[in-house]
Amino acid sequence: MRIGILNSDTVKIDGAMEFGQYPEMFSKIFWAVDPNIQFKTYEVQFNNYPIDINECDAYLITGSKASSYDDEQWIHDLKKFIQVLDQNKKKLVGICFGHQIIAEALGGSVRKSPSGWHAGVDSISLNNNALEYGEEGKKYNLVFSHQDEVEILPQNATLIAGSSTCPNGIFLVENHIMCIQGHIELDKKFARMIYDFRKDQIGNSKHQRACATLDITTDEHEVATNLLKFLRK
């Protein structure tokens, strides 16, 4: 399988070079599950797209410091490309910003959370629409780092996981799109760097709580396994 990574950001945090950019982070987590996966990166933030959508078997949209509702040309272009992928029933995964911009591109809406930043390790629970991925109530612990949230899902989306803090945690669009608000790719050391970098934005008390949760065991490998299962269907 060849996954096209639609990279939507450039990491510029001091000390983070050892973790690489988002394409390297995603490659590492997927290779831990299946070392035979191939990747190709497209820098959509700089208007770099596949000439033919069939260059890859599936696509993945990364996180970003940008917001999906920003009035920037590359954001508008990415939404148009998402619509093309959707129309062609091409397999697509969205993580964090990717999750949000897919929702917006397909008729949903995104807003800044009235609760402010959601940071740290937190759990989302599967509902009764997610039986293919685990029994109802099963929890996934993931790293979170976002202040935007999906407020309204696309009309043809199905919610399969969430929590009181992150109501629209994972959703599907038919059988070809899966979107996850939590991060599967962030090493906890890198997550700590992000929280420290954004401490003034997150707020001191939330920053302290977020950092304290990084000792909690997370389920990124199980979620990555389920993502590959979904992409191969």
Side-chain angles (χ1 to χ4, degrees), residues 31-42:
W31 279 335
V33 173
D34 183 349
N36 296 313
I37 299 291
Q38 298 179 337
F39 295 95
K40 182 170 182 179
T41 297
Y42 302 90

Side-chain angles (χ1 to χ4, degrees), residues 2-6 23 38-42 48 50 55-56 59:
R2 191 181 208 195
I3 298 176
I5 297 180
L6 305 178
Q38 298 179 337
F39 295 95
K40 182 170 182 179
T41 297
Y42 302 90
N48 172 228
E55 287 180 16
C56 297
Y59 291 92

Side-chain angles (χ1 to χ4, degrees), residues 44 47 49 67-83 97 101 104-105:
V44 295
N47 203 35
Y49 285 90
S67 291
S68 62
Y69 45 76
D70 286 346
D71 185 16
E72 295 187 28
Q73 190 57 50
W74 77 268
I75 299 280
H76 299 310
D77 291 342
L78 180 53
K79 288 179 181 177
K80 291 175 184 175
F81 186 67
I82 291 166
Q83 291 163 359
F97 167 82
I101 197 167
E104 281 237 328

Side-chain angles (χ1 to χ4, degrees), residues 76 110 127 179 192 194 198-199 205:
H76 299 310
V110 173
N127 63 29
C179 296
R192 175 62 188 259
I194 293 175
R198 294 175 172 167
K199 182 177 179 179
S205 60

Side-chain angles (χ1 to χ4, degrees), residues 53-113:
I53 63 170
N54 293 318
E55 287 180 16
C56 297
D57 301 301
Y59 291 92
L60 181 149
I61 304 175
T62 70
S64 178
K65 67 178 72 70
S67 291
S68 62
Y69 45 76
D70 286 346
D71 185 16
E72 295 187 28
Q73 190 57 50
W74 77 268
I75 299 280
H76 299 310
D77 291 342
L78 180 53
K79 288 179 181 177
K80 291 175 184 175
F81 186 67
I82 291 166
Q83 291 163 359
V84 169
L85 295 178
D86 177 50
Q87 290 159 9
N88 286 274
K89 309 300 181 187
K90 194 72 178 176
K91 291 285 188 175
L92 175 63
V93 170
I95 304 293
C96 196
F97 167 82
H99 160 95
Q100 295 161 8
I101 197 167
I102 290 171
E104 281 237 328
L106 301 183
S109 66
V110 173
R111 64 174 180 177
K112 277 203 168 38
S113 171

Side-chain angles (χ1 to χ4, degrees), residues 162-173:
S163 69
S164 58
T165 312
C166 183
N168 293 314
I170 306 178
F171 69 87
L172 306 176
V173 177

